[in-house]
């Protein structure tokens, strides 16, 4: 019985931490989007960190290359070590794109451990509805691709 109670306690502890992170991320993203004038025609914001989970970032770069012409998506480039190298990888001049925001002020630097993963933010009328990450365990970019 004691073992069951300990396992239950640990489960509740860890699940509440995840909920706190999700709530913190939602509040942060809502705040960040309110600080940047974002047109209501955007349905998604895709935040691409330049540093973090290497494979996940490569998936984000491929997604950017494949969907940069989609004006329903605002791409936010965060902590990009070299814009020139990124532009060579995706074969697109990102400076000329209205739907690409280079976040030098780190407004979209999510304050949780998830900030190393690309993030997909769903919007409705310019307001955050939900968000998810592209990580080794989650498939946010693939899920978005199926909706496009």
């Amino acid at each position: 019985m004691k073992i069951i109670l300990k396992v239950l306690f640990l489960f509740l502890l860890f699940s509440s931490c995840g909920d706190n992170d999700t709530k913190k991320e939602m509040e942060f993203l809502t705040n960040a989007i309110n600080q940047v004038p974002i047109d209501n025609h955007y349905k998604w914001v895709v935040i691409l960190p330049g540093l973090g989970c290497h494979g996940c970032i490569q998936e984000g770069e491929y997604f950017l290359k494949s969907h940069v012409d989609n004006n329903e998506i605002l791409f936010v480039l965060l902590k990009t070590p070299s814009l020139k190298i990124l532009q060579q990888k995706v074969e697109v001049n990102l400076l000329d794109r209205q739907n690409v925001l280079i976040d030098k002020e780190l407004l979209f630097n999510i304050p949780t451990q998830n900030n190393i993963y690309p993030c997909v933010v769903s919007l409705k009328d310019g307001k955050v509805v939900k968000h998810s990450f592209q990580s080794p365990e989650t498939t946010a970019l693939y899920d978005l691709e199926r909706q496009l």
Side-chain angles (χ1 to χ4, degrees), residues 100-147:
V100 175
L101 172 66
I102 300 167
D103 183 8
K104 294 179 181 176
E105 290 82 31
L106 304 178
L107 296 174
F108 288 86
N109 189 24
I110 298 169
T112 66
Q113 292 180 347
N114 289 323
N115 67 2
I116 64 170
Y117 304 117
C119 180
V120 175
V121 182
S122 298
L123 302 175
K124 183 168 183 168
D125 300 322
K127 305 288 184 212
V128 177
V129 176
K130 66 178 183 172
H131 72 286
S132 56
F133 295 93
Q134 179 70 36
S135 74
E137 294 84 28
T138 57
T139 58
L141 294 173
Y142 298 114
D143 296 343
L144 175 53
E145 195 156 41
R146 279 187 250 136
Q147 294 180 51

Side-chain angles (χ1 to χ4, degrees), residues 5-145:
L5 288 175
K6 286 181 183 179
V7 170
L8 183 60
F9 175 75
L10 289 173
F11 174 76
L12 291 173
L13 178 68
F14 286 116
S15 64
S16 67
C17 290
D19 291 342
N20 286 340
D21 279 353
T22 300
K23 183 178 178 183
K24 184 185 216 179
E25 291 162 356
M26 283 292 284
E27 290 173 2
F28 180 84
L29 290 166
T30 298
N31 214 14
I33 286 171
N34 287 337
Q35 290 183 42
V36 177
I38 294 180
D39 292 334
N40 284 347
H41 75 273
Y42 290 119
K43 292 184 179 179
W44 300 279
V45 175
V46 175
I47 304 167
L48 300 174
L51 305 170
C53 174
H54 183 68
C56 303
I57 290 170
Q58 284 182 324
E59 290 175 38
E61 290 170 350
Y62 179 77
F63 186 87
L64 172 65
K65 179 180 181 175
S66 301
H67 299 286
V68 73
D69 290 324
N70 187 331
N71 288 323
E72 292 182 327
I73 303 172
L74 174 66
F75 291 94
V76 177
L77 305 180
L78 183 70
K79 296 182 183 176
T80 304
S82 170
L83 186 60
K84 188 175 183 177
I85 291 172
L86 178 60
Q87 289 180 126
Q88 289 173 344
K89 284 183 186 178
V90 299
E91 301 170 347
V92 174
N93 183 353
L94 299 171
L95 293 174
D96 295 338
R97 300 283 176 166
Q98 290 188 358
N99 67 329
V100 175
L101 172 66
I102 300 167
D103 183 8
K104 294 179 181 176
E105 290 82 31
L106 304 178
L107 296 174
F108 288 86
N109 189 24
I110 298 169
T112 66
Q113 292 180 347
N114 289 323
N115 67 2
I116 64 170
Y117 304 117
C119 180
V120 175
V121 182
S122 298
L123 302 175
K124 183 168 183 168
D125 300 322
K127 305 288 184 212
V128 177
V129 176
K130 66 178 183 172
H131 72 286
S132 56
F133 295 93
Q134 179 70 36
S135 74
E137 294 84 28
T138 57
T139 58
L141 294 173
Y142 298 114
D143 296 343
L144 175 53
E145 195 156 41

